[in-house]
Amino acid sequence: MKSIIILGDGMADEPIKALGGKTPMQYADTPYMDKLAALGVTGQLKTVADGFHPGSEVANMAVLGYDLPKVYEGRGVLEAASIGVTLQPGEMAMRCNLICVEGEILKNHSAGHISTEEADQLIQYLNEKLGSDRIKFYTGVSYRHLLVIKGGDKRLDCTPPHDVPLHPFRPLLIKPEVPEAQETADLLNDLILKSQEILKDHPVNLKRIAAGKDAANSIWPWSPGYRPAMQTMHEMYGIKKGSVISAVDLIRGIGVYAGLEVINVEGATGLYDTNYEGKAYAALEALKTNDFVYLHVEASDEAGHEGDVDLKIKTIEYLDKRAIRIIYEELQKWDEPVAIAVLPDHPTPCSIRTHTNTPIPFLIYKPGQEPDAVTCFDEFSVLNGKYGVLEKDEFIKELL
C-alpha cells in the first residue's frame, strides 16, 4: 500500500482563553481531518527524544523514524543538503538567520519574513565583506540561510532566535560548551556584531525601513553540525521511491539524506499564503509513481511564532480544505489504496511563540481498516485513540 504523510508544522497548541478554552485545532473548522480521524485510528507521538531541543529538525526526523541520538547533527547540515552544498570533512554547517535587531533587542527571528530576493543581496554582501577561505555564506529561502565554517568546533551553546523574540540579544550570544570551542564561539560572535555594522545601511534595509518593514540587520547562526550518517528510507523500510514536498530547506534537506526526491512547487512560500492546492496536486502526481510522499506545510508554525491565534486557525483550515480535501477526494477515485497520515511535528503554542516537546496528535487512515472511537482530530480527542502514545520508529512502521 502506498503512503502519504501530511504534516502541518507546529499545528498543535494549548487551550486559549479567547477561544473558550479550546486549542486552534479544536476551534478550527476541519471537516476532512475529522473525517479521516473517524475513518482511521489515532494516537499521540513523542517526536522530541529525551535530552533534545524541540526543533523542527528533531521532530521531523523523529516522524520518519530516525534514531536521533545516533544521527542528529543539527539543522545546518540538513539545509546544506537542500541547497546542494556538500560538506567536506572538517566543515561545520550552521543555520544562519537574517534577523531584526532594534537597539539591544532581538525583535524577531525572520526580519519581517524578508523575501528571498532581498535576502540574496544581503547574503552576497556578507560574503563580500565577511567571507574568506574559511567562512562562507549561502543563500537559502526568505530569512533561512547557511553558514559554513572550516575547522569549526560544534560544541557550542546556541540559542534558536525564534525562541527569544523581544529579548536582549547580547546575553544570548554563542557560548562554548568546552574550552576547545572558545575560538569558534569568538569567531561567530564577531561575525554577528560585524554583520550588524555592515547591514544597517545596506540599500535593501534602507528601502525596507522606508516602507515600514523590519530591517534584516543582523545574522544569527545556530544549530551547528557536521555531515550526518543517515540511512535512506529505502535502507530502513524498503521504500523503493519516495518524495518530499516542502518550502523549507530544512525539510528538503532531511528528504535528501532520506533518499527522497525533492519536488518543487511554484508559489510554495512557507507562510499562510503558500500554494496549498499546488502542493496537494504535486503530492497526488508523485503518488502515481512513488511509494511514499512527505507533504510538509510550514504555515501554522510561523503563525504560532508570531503569536497570531486567528492566523493559526486560518492556516489549519487552509490545510484541511485546500490540501487534505483535494488529496482525500482524489484518492477515493483510485483503484490502488493509499494510507494517509495527518499530524503536526511539534506544538508551537501562540502564548509562548516557540516549540514545546509535548507529544503530538496523529491519525492514520488506511482504506478498509477498523477505526477506533475517535471522531474528530485535535490534541485531546486522540487521548482516546487506539494507539496510545508511540515513540521512536513505531509511528512510521505502523503507517508503512
Side-chain angles (χ1 to χ4, degrees):
M1 185 182 296
K2 296 185 175 186
S3 304
I4 180 171
I5 291 176
I6 305 172
L7 191 137
D9 200 301
M11 187 165 58
D13 210 299
E14 297 170 352
I16 296 172
K17 186 176 181 180
L19 301 181
K22 293 183 177 181
T23 69
M25 285 186 70
Q26 289 178 307
Y27 192 87
D29 181 25
T30 54
Y32 284 86
M33 291 189 210
D34 293 345
K35 178 190 285 285
L36 288 170
L39 293 172
V41 184
T42 63
Q44 289 183 297
L45 176 61
K46 180 180 177 180
T47 58
V48 181
D50 292 339
F52 281 83
H53 183 83
S56 289
E57 75 282 15
V58 167
N60 280 271
M61 289 172 70
V63 170
L64 292 175
Y66 283 101
D67 186 341
L68 270 296
K70 290 184 178 180
V71 303
Y72 181 71
E73 282 287 347
R75 77 168 59 197
V77 297
L78 301 170
E79 302 192 8
S82 172
I83 61 179
V85 176
T86 301
L87 295 177
Q88 302 302 318
E91 289 186 333
M92 181 183 79
M94 302 183 73
R95 157 69 88 81
C96 186
N97 281 44
L98 286 174
I99 67 170
C100 180
V101 171
E102 286 191 350
E104 291 292 304
I105 300 300
L106 194 160
K107 183 178 181 184
N108 61 54
H109 70 288
S110 65
H113 294 293
I114 188 171
S115 72
T116 301
E117 293 74 21
E118 292 171 303
D120 183 51
Q121 295 181 54
L122 299 179
I123 293 297
Q124 291 188 43
Y125 189 63
L126 287 166
N127 263 324
E128 178 186 331
K129 297 295 184 180
L130 300 179
S132 66
D133 289 342
R134 187 183 182 193
I135 299 164
K136 180 71 174 177
F137 297 88
Y138 294 89
T139 302
V141 177
S142 182
Y143 62 87
R144 311 175 189 97
H145 306 284
L146 180 71
L147 173 61
V148 176
I149 306 286
K150 290 183 179 179
D153 192 315
K154 73 170 187 176
R155 293 172 292 179
L156 302 168
D157 179 7
C158 303
T159 301
H162 55 258
D163 283 355
V164 286
L166 305 180
H167 284 64
F169 79 86
R170 288 186 191 274
L172 305 170
L173 289 170
I174 295 166
K175 302 171 184 63
E177 293 180 337
V178 295
E180 293 84 354
Q182 184 69 57
E183 188 271 342
T184 303
D186 290 342
L187 171 67
L188 291 166
N189 289 329
D190 186 55
L191 289 174
I192 291 172
L193 298 177
K194 284 181 177 176
S195 76
Q196 294 178 6
E197 287 299 313
I198 69 172
L199 290 178
K200 64 181 180 180
D201 295 323
H202 190 281
V204 165
N205 280 326
L206 296 179
K207 186 175 180 180
R208 288 181 64 81
I209 292 169
K213 299 178 180 179
D214 288 335
N217 56 10
S218 180
I219 63 167
W220 196 267
W222 56 288
S223 197
Y226 313 122
R227 182 183 176 92
M230 287 171 60
Q231 288 184 295
T232 66
M233 295 195 72
H234 174 70
E235 292 169 329
M236 292 192 296
Y237 309 119
I239 291 174
K240 295 178 182 178
K241 188 177 180 183
S243 299
V244 60
I245 300 170
S246 176
V248 178
D249 278 338
L250 162 66
I251 307 302
R252 294 150 65 96
I254 293 173
V256 170
Y257 281 117
L260 305 177
E261 175 193 8
V262 176
I263 296 177
N264 297 310
V265 176
E266 186 175 354
T269 65
L271 300 173
Y272 75 93
D273 61 355
T274 197
N275 184 359
Y276 291 89
E277 293 85 358
K279 285 188 168 185
Y281 287 116
L284 288 165
E285 189 63 27
L287 278 172
K288 292 177 182 178
T289 55
N290 291 3
D291 302 315
F292 173 77
V293 172
Y294 195 75
L295 175 57
H296 172 271
V297 180
E298 174 76 0
S300 295
D301 185 58
E302 293 294 341
H305 286 307
E306 293 175 13
D308 191 330
V309 176
D310 292 338
L311 181 60
K312 187 163 189 181
I313 293 168
K314 181 184 291 187
T315 63
I316 294 168
E317 292 179 342
Y318 280 175
L319 179 66
D320 188 79
K321 296 176 178 63
R322 298 173 58 188
I324 296 173
R325 176 187 64 81
I326 291 170
I327 291 168
Y328 172 76
E329 291 186 347
E330 186 62 30
L331 289 180
Q332 301 314 298
K333 305 172 188 176
W334 290 22
D335 293 331
E336 183 175 9
V338 177
I340 302 173
V342 179
L343 71 166
D345 52 348
H346 52 66
T348 308
C350 291
S351 60
I352 59 173
R353 297 175 60 176
T354 191
H355 306 168
T356 69
N357 61 4
T358 305
I360 52 88
F362 74 87
L363 68 85
I364 295 176
Y365 161 71
K366 295 180 181 179
Q369 74 178 350
E370 183 71 26
D372 61 18
V374 176
T375 58
C376 59
F377 185 57
D378 59 64
E379 301 89 341
F380 296 99
S381 64
V382 302
L383 298 178
N384 298 313
K386 175 184 174 182
Y387 284 123
V389 181
L390 302 185
E391 59 181 323
K392 299 180 179 178
D393 60 357
E394 293 174 336
F395 162 80
I396 193 69
K397 285 184 173 178
E398 192 65 35
L399 172 65
L400 298 176

